[in-house]
Amino acid sequence: MVKFCYLLGIYCLLLLLPCRAQKPAPPTLAVVSDTSYIIVRNVIISGNKKTRTPFIVRELTTVPGDTIRLKDLSQTLESCRRQLMNTTLFLTVIANVKNWEGNSADLVFEVWERWYLLAFPIFKLADRNFNQWWVEQGKSLDRVNIGLRGSHSNLTGRNDDLEGVVQIGYTQQLAFTYSLPYVDKSFHNGLGITFAYSRNRELNDSTSNNKQHFYRQDNNRFLREMFNFGFSYSYRRAINTRHQVFLTYNSEKVSDSVARYSPNYMRAGRRRVQYMDLLYRVTYMQADSWIYPLKGISLQGEIEKLGFAPFNDVDNWKIRAKVTKYWQLFPRTYGALGVRGQAKFPADQPYLNQKAMGYQEDYLRGLEYYVVDGTSFFIVKSTLRQEVYSFNVKLPWIPQKFNTIPIRLLLKAYGDAGYTYSQFPGNGFLNNKMLYTCGMGLDIVSFYDTCVRLEYSINQLGQKGLFLHTKIDM
């Protein structure tokens, strides 16, 4: 039944792909000649108190001296406005044309900056998702992380991010990251640095029947310590494409009891592994929104080498790819089709390096209670959305700039499919076979990159459930 629902959903979505959004009726008051144009005299930014103007102008594809046909002017202004919104630096951007003289004019962008300095408490579940914590772990407060997270998303006005975390609870953690997207006058090259230390009194040491098993000692001692430190380099010549390189030193240590109880966790009963991680990532994003896209395309590819001298206790190659296409099918109706996959070599890996389907964003909607360990997998996700309502919430006693919260409600239907390969599946009944899920849900979307998802799903085992997520999918 689930397989039929999934295939039917894919088929219906493919039938709709050639459809395009209805175009608005052409204006009746005036007809613009195809030969009419303006020359951009200046690009003017106003309203920015923190963000430096050159870093804003860098995000625009339109520059002084460009020629814009009048019939394309509205579309060009909207494209530029969206480009500035996608930086996540601003609450609102207003685009306009001013100082029109003959065939030349100025493009003016008024920006309303966000509140960049934020400090807020952490209340985060240690488990993979809300349902696993609520149902399988009995809402245990021992599996909750609490602490304080501070961030400054525009520290020096150069769109540079500084973030620090102090956390206690299930995972005790101290971490900070800093990234500067541009360090050169050409606005192409960026650098970053990261550091993190964490420790746990419990760890996921194995999997049985596609369920995680957790090991903990009665004496409540710490069983695992992790440390990593690294640098990053980014190159972004155009607007939509970014290249990144990450070089990170990683160290993980477990107690003697873990090494004895689960010798395959690090392989051969080892207590500590050290390895270097070199990752190259390329990302291409051409969409109406980089946060919650409804029209456009997103591509990401990665190649990663874990382990090389002198730190090579973990040794493998990994290749990942993700492609998602978004369409507007009808007014306020949107379709999305995404494919992602991973291949890791060699296939014989210790348990700590066999996380595949069911972790982070790599899962099928409806299989949230399960994990499918392995070294290679692929996932196909299809979603049909209908925006049903949008409104603003006014907050009292808040400055006008920040007191309006836009909210959109989107109903959706979806179908997912996936496959995970494991050389040693053990008693995993979901490994090495095609899996299917489908369902319906509601997305509640607001600014500051927030999205709450309520989803009612069914999987091929016939299991049904209502699931809550707080991260944007696809």
Side-chain angles (χ1 to χ4, degrees), residues 73-103:
L73 181 58
S74 177
Q75 181 179 349
T76 300
L77 290 176
E78 176 60 17
S79 176
C80 291
R81 189 192 71 83
R82 289 188 179 275
Q83 288 168 4
L84 295 184
M85 288 296 295
N86 283 333
T87 64
T88 71
L89 291 172
F90 311 114
L91 293 173
T92 303
V93 176
I94 301 173
N96 210 337
V97 180
K98 293 185 177 180
N99 306 324
W100 205 311
E101 298 178 0
N103 288 335

Side-chain angles (χ1 to χ4, degrees), residues 91-92 112-113 393-405 447:
L91 293 173
T92 303
W112 287 24
E113 295 181 312
V393 176
K394 294 284 188 178
L395 300 178
W397 313 111
I398 302 294
Q400 179 183 1
K401 193 174 183 180
F402 306 101
N403 71 349
T404 302
I405 301 179
F447 64 34

Side-chain angles (χ1 to χ4, degrees), residues 106-308:
D106 298 333
L107 302 187
V108 181
F109 299 92
E110 180 185 356
V111 299
W112 287 24
E113 295 181 312
R114 291 188 174 200
W115 189 272
Y116 297 125
L117 179 60
L118 296 173
F120 47 90
I122 296 172
F123 184 88
K124 183 179 179 182
L125 304 179
D127 295 296
R128 293 177 295 108
N129 55 69
F130 176 83
N131 285 71
Q132 186 193 17
W133 173 74
W134 185 270
V135 177
E136 295 193 336
Q137 300 297 340
K139 306 180 287 293
S140 172
L141 295 180
D142 291 336
R143 307 184 67 80
V144 171
N145 294 313
I146 59 175
L148 182 67
R149 180 187 302 273
S151 66
H152 201 312
S153 58
N154 197 14
L155 183 64
T156 65
R158 298 177 171 88
N159 197 14
D160 49 337
D161 294 333
L162 175 66
E163 183 173 303
V165 173
V166 178
Q167 178 179 285
I168 60 175
Y170 184 85
T171 299
Q172 296 186 2
Q173 184 182 42
L174 178 66
F176 83 89
T177 60
Y178 176 74
S179 62
L180 180 60
Y182 308 114
V183 295
D184 59 330
K185 294 182 179 180
S186 63
F187 297 101
H188 291 162
N189 302 280
L191 296 174
I193 186 172
T194 181
F195 161 85
Y197 171 80
S198 63
R199 60 182 185 177
N200 298 83
R201 293 185 172 92
E202 180 180 275
L203 81 159
N204 169 211
D205 68 320
S206 60
T207 300
S208 179
N209 292 312
N210 297 110
K211 298 277 188 164
Q212 291 174 288
H213 175 267
F214 294 92
Y215 177 73
R216 188 183 188 106
Q217 287 188 304
D218 294 336
N219 59 15
N220 214 29
R221 63 179 293 195
F222 288 100
L223 301 180
R224 180 176 68 166
E225 290 183 285
M226 298 183 65
F227 169 81
N228 63 68
F229 177 77
F231 299 93
S232 64
Y233 165 76
S234 64
Y235 177 77
R236 183 175 176 232
R237 182 177 181 86
I239 297 296
N240 302 308
T241 304
R242 184 187 299 272
H243 303 266
Q244 295 172 289
V245 178
F246 302 86
L247 179 62
T248 310
Y249 165 79
N250 299 272
S251 173
E252 181 171 351
K253 183 171 62 174
V254 297
S255 68
D256 292 336
S257 60
V258 173
R260 290 193 303 267
Y261 184 81
S262 303
N264 192 49
Y265 180 76
M266 288 184 175
R267 183 67 56 79
R270 304 178 68 167
R271 291 192 56 231
R272 184 182 183 185
V273 292
Q274 300 180 80
Y275 59 95
M276 297 296 295
D277 182 355
L278 181 62
L279 169 67
Y280 166 72
R281 175 185 298 152
V282 58
T283 305
Y284 175 82
M285 189 73 170
Q286 177 66 57
D288 58 336
S289 169
W290 291 9
I291 306 303
Y292 189 85
L294 294 172
K295 296 182 291 183
I297 189 171
S298 170
L299 301 95
Q300 186 178 95
E302 295 180 358
I303 182 169
E304 185 175 17
K305 177 65 172 74
L306 270 66
F308 45 88

Side-chain angles (χ1 to χ4, degrees), residues 356-413:
M357 192 184 299
Y359 300 91
Q360 298 180 350
E361 62 176 12
D362 300 323
Y363 66 94
L364 304 186
R365 291 167 286 188
L367 283 172
E368 280 89 341
Y369 292 127
Y370 298 95
V371 296
V372 191
D373 294 329
T375 51
S376 300
F377 70 87
F378 76 87
I379 294 174
V380 180
K381 292 189 174 186
S382 61
T383 303
L384 187 65
R385 295 183 176 94
Q386 174 69 44
E387 184 174 341
V388 293
Y389 195 51
S390 61
F391 58 96
N392 294 325
V393 176
K394 294 284 188 178
L395 300 178
W397 313 111
I398 302 294
Q400 179 183 1
K401 193 174 183 180
F402 306 101
N403 71 349
T404 302
I405 301 179
I407 296 177
R408 290 187 295 163
L409 305 179
L410 296 97
L411 290 175
K412 65 182 180 182

